[in-house]
Structure formats: C-alpha cells, structure tokens
Amino acid sequence: MSIQFVLLPLFVEVLLTFGVMFGMMYFRTSTLQRGETRFEDIALREPNWPIRATKFGYAFANQFELPVLFYVLTILEIITRHADLLFVLLAWIFVVMRVLQAAVHVTSNNVRVRGGFYGVGAIILFIMWVIYILRIVLALP
C-alpha cells in the first residue's frame, strides 16, 4: 500500500480543519470590523460571538477531538506497517463523516443530523482502533 494512498484521508482531514479555521477567522474578523463584537467582550474566551462565528468556532474546536485519535492511529499504522486496504477504506468513511458533520455544524447545525455523522465516525474510528490493537497484541499481519 503506497504511503500516498494511506495518507490521503489524513490530508483531507487536515484540509478540513484549516478550511473550518479560515471560516472561523473570516466570521470573527468581520464581526469585529463591523463592531458587532467588541474585543473586551471576547478577551477571556467569553462566548460572545454572533451565531455564525460561534458555529465555526465550535466546529473548529471539534476538529481537535476525535481526529487526534485518527492522526495517531494513521501514524502508528504507517510506522508498524499495518496500513492496508481495510484501514484506508475505514479512514475514508471516518473522514467523510467528519466532513459531513462539519458541514452541518457550520450551516443548519441540526444536532440530530450532526450527531449521527459524529456517531458513525466515532464507531468507525473505534473499530479501526480495535482492529489495530488486535493485530499488534496478537502479532497478526
């Protein structure tokens, strides 16, 4: 399995994180420039942003929760040479769920829909970790 093939889902997740960050920066900066938000209202991380900036802020913070476990697992899979087609397929499902969750988060923010995408992604990542742990502990290929 080529390193590019294994890393492509991770690269998409990284680009998603930057995309959400740039969206957050845009909406936060524009609200400050328009005077809708004052610096003293947010100086100590008070949640005083307008709704659109808040959506992007929480969506950005969310990119440092489950995806951290995905990043670690991808690196471990490469180092231990266990990355295979199953890993890549599951990685793509996880990343697609992250993209869909982020899209819902910054638009309608429908919690049921967003939660569904989160839940599927979390289960997929859990399965990925269980497979990896079993392969390492049982010395499987």
Side-chain angles (χ1 to χ4, degrees), residues 14-28 56-57 59-61 63-64 106:
V14 167
L15 292 174
L16 171 65
T17 301
F18 278 111
V20 173
M21 181 193 73
F22 291 135
M24 177 189 68
M25 290 169 58
Y26 170 78
F27 286 107
R28 285 184 174 182
F56 272 87
F60 178 66
Q63 299 309 313
F64 297 96
V106 301

Side-chain angles (χ1 to χ4, degrees), residues 17-129:
T17 301
F18 278 111
V20 173
M21 181 193 73
F22 291 135
M24 177 189 68
M25 290 169 58
Y26 170 78
F27 286 107
R28 285 184 174 182
T29 301
S30 62
T31 191
L32 287 165
Q33 289 172 341
R34 287 190 307 270
E36 293 175 35
T37 305
R38 299 175 339 180
F39 284 103
E40 49 274 4
D41 293 336
I42 50 95
L44 295 175
R45 296 185 64 143
E46 297 92 344
N48 294 324
W49 295 104
I51 191 81
R52 191 85 167 142
T54 299
K55 285 180 180 181
F56 272 87
Y58 285 134
F60 178 66
N62 192 254
Q63 299 309 313
F64 297 96
E65 295 172 358
L66 277 183
V68 171
L69 294 173
F70 173 68
Y71 295 142
V72 170
L73 180 59
T74 301
I75 293 165
L76 288 171
E77 290 271 2
I78 291 168
I79 291 171
T80 60
R81 300 187 190 285
H82 280 83
D84 59 2
L85 183 59
L86 177 61
F87 170 79
V88 172
L89 291 174
L90 291 172
W92 274 116
I93 295 170
F94 174 76
V95 170
V96 167
M97 292 300 107
R98 298 300 304 167
V99 169
L100 293 172
Q101 183 208 6
V104 171
H105 206 158
V106 301
T107 57
S108 70
N109 198 27
N110 183 314
V111 176
R112 285 192 174 112
V113 174
R114 190 182 89 209
F117 292 138
Y118 181 91
V120 170
I123 290 167
I124 292 297
L125 186 59
F126 176 74
I127 291 168
M128 293 169 72
W129 269 101

